[in-house]
Amino acid sequence: GTPTDVPPPQANTHGNNQLRTEFTVTEQQMSTMSHASLFYAGVGYSVAWLNGDKLAPEEALGPWTTWSQRILYRCKDVSSLLRPGANAIGVWLGGGQYDSTWTHAWWKGPRGSHPPLGLRVMLRLTLKNGTAITLAASGTGSWRASPSPFVSDDVYKGVVFDARNISDGFAAPNFHEGKEWVPAVPVPNSSTLFGVMSPHVYTPSRIVSERKPIKMTQPSPGHYVYWFPENSVGWAQINDVNLPAGTTLSLAHGEQLAHFDSSGKLIEACLVGCENGSVWYAWGGAVDAYTLRGGEAETYGAIFSYHGFQFVELTGWPSTAAPPTLSTVTAQVVHADNARIAELQFPTSGKADLQTSC
């Protein structure tokens, strides 16, 4: 549903892109509750948890609008996630299209010229008698902020993620905050961040499939290139990697491979016949980096990134460890999860049929 009032002012991270708040639900409220709805919007991307449960785990990325004109919010039924007593909301924010180097290049503004990342949240409890109660909201002074594992993120150029900075339990009640947690700063209503708040009624983007590579080559020591059967959009994921803490793996995404001469000059870009080619990409690169926590098998995909690629080059793998395998890297295909409504077939005069689906 849509609230009759606009969600309260945003909580500004001032460089800290991880936020949390705690609130209380009484026994009486729980016993007389009809339903509970959480309205939230990140500027730009956001991932939210309530009492440690991730909201909309099947969704990926976030909406892209002209932020000064319109901000889309999500509404989730969280009735089953509330509990009597202490409750908590936790959020990760990402720059997304709101603060991307390439987005700014299109309108000739420098990155960082937008105000800092922000968040709007309102948890609305509706009782059986129709009474509506706001239990948690941004702009109330109860929000806290800290650095997240996202060291940096650019939706196109790539994400740097340090898993050693993950705050286990930060989205659960009674979390012990360290000295890095500071009060989040409310944004004045006059902020240029404030476009019209509108519900996100469109088909969300999701990880619609996972593609496995068809082969892996090693053009040079420490460089492993994964070949996928077709071009994808989304991100590459590392799977079940168990390496020492502090190891940083990089995943460079590209639609073509490149040949270089002995001086390092690019000779050609190609799709086939480049057995010893490295990933070739334009526009300054599309590279995600992940630093491991260590001590257990880790799986990671850069959820705030979006790349077009058919090849992925893995670097940073320790020479002392067993080399990666074909299953170490997969492609997560991400786009709006629209239903397939038609299929077209074109005759090709005796040649193999070309089928196109939409």
Side-chain angles (χ1 to χ4, degrees):
T2 301
T4 56
D5 54 338
V6 175
Q10 303 188 3
N12 188 315
T13 67
H14 275 195
N16 296 327
N17 48 0
Q18 179 172 251
L19 296 104
R20 70 180 307 272
T21 190
E22 293 196 20
F23 60 96
T24 300
V25 182
T26 67
E27 292 278 2
Q28 182 179 9
Q29 289 170 340
M30 288 294 297
S31 63
T32 58
M33 177 180 68
S34 171
H35 64 274
S37 300
L38 182 65
F39 304 87
Y40 66 99
V43 183
Y45 292 161
S46 63
V47 177
W49 292 262
L50 175 59
N51 291 334
D53 285 304
K54 186 178 181 181
L55 303 181
E58 78 285 356
E59 296 183 11
L61 302 178
W64 179 19
T65 61
T66 302
W67 307 97
S68 60
Q69 298 178 17
R70 189 174 306 278
I71 297 175
L72 302 182
Y73 64 85
R74 290 179 168 88
C75 176
K76 301 298 179 184
D77 188 326
V78 295
S79 306
S80 63
L81 301 181
L82 292 179
R83 62 189 67 165
N87 293 257
I89 299 171
V91 179
W92 280 347
L93 292 177
Q97 305 283 1
Y98 174 71
D99 196 26
S100 164
T101 300
W102 290 355
T103 302
H104 287 295
W106 296 335
W107 59 274
K108 304 186 185 304
R111 187 177 189 194
S113 55
H114 276 151
L117 304 184
L119 173 71
R120 272 181 163 176
V121 171
M122 179 168 60
L123 195 150
R124 177 66 55 81
L125 186 72
T126 302
L127 305 183
K128 295 176 182 177
N129 64 5
T131 301
I133 303 172
T134 298
L135 293 178
S138 51
T140 60
S142 64
W143 286 83
R144 308 277 290 175
S146 82
S148 80
F150 292 89
V151 178
S152 65
D153 70 286
D154 189 296
V155 63
Y156 294 128
K157 295 188 69 174
V159 170
V160 176
F161 188 96
D162 192 336
R164 297 171 299 178
N165 295 336
I166 292 176
S167 301
D168 292 320
F170 89 100
N174 304 314
F175 171 73
H176 175 70
E177 295 180 356
K179 61 182 180 180
E180 71 276 11
W181 286 87
V182 298
V185 181
V187 175
N189 279 317
S190 60
S191 170
T192 56
L193 273 175
F194 283 74
V196 176
M197 299 296 296
S198 301
H200 186 275
V201 296
Y202 316 102
T203 303
S205 294
R206 297 187 176 98
I207 299 175
V208 296
S209 65
E210 180 179 64
R211 291 175 180 165
K212 298 179 179 180
I214 53 177
K215 67 177 176 179
M216 178 183 73
T217 57
Q218 191 175 1
S220 59
H223 293 250
Y224 303 90
V225 176
Y226 289 81
W227 297 48
F228 291 89
E230 55 189 299
N231 207 58
S232 301
V233 288
W235 57 75
Q237 175 176 286
I238 58 171
N239 304 293
D240 298 322
V241 173
N242 199 334
L243 294 172
T247 302
T248 298
L249 301 178
S250 293
L251 297 164
H253 303 69
E255 297 180 339
Q256 295 177 310
L257 294 180
H259 278 173
F260 299 88
D261 62 19
S262 58
S263 67
K265 181 180 178 182
L266 176 68
I267 299 175
E268 62 176 331
C270 56
L271 292 175
V272 295
C274 288
E275 293 295 328
N276 295 319
S278 297
V279 162
W280 179 81
Y281 43 78
W283 308 106
V287 183
D288 298 323
Y290 176 74
T291 300
L292 285 81
R293 303 181 79 177
E296 61 182 2
E298 300 177 48
T299 296
Y300 171 77
I303 59 173
F304 288 153
S305 68
Y306 187 74
H307 311 301
F309 65 98
Q310 190 170 352
F311 305 94
V312 174
E313 186 168 357
L314 170 66
T315 56
W317 197 274
S319 59
T320 54
T325 66
L326 200 62
S327 61
T328 300
V329 176
T330 52
Q332 306 297 305
V333 181
V334 179
H335 56 71
D337 193 16
N338 295 315
R340 179 176 295 180
I341 60 173
E343 182 173 290
L344 305 178
Q345 294 187 357
F346 301 92
T348 54
S349 303
K351 297 181 181 180
D353 285 343
L354 174 65
Q355 295 189 8
T356 301
S357 299
C358 59

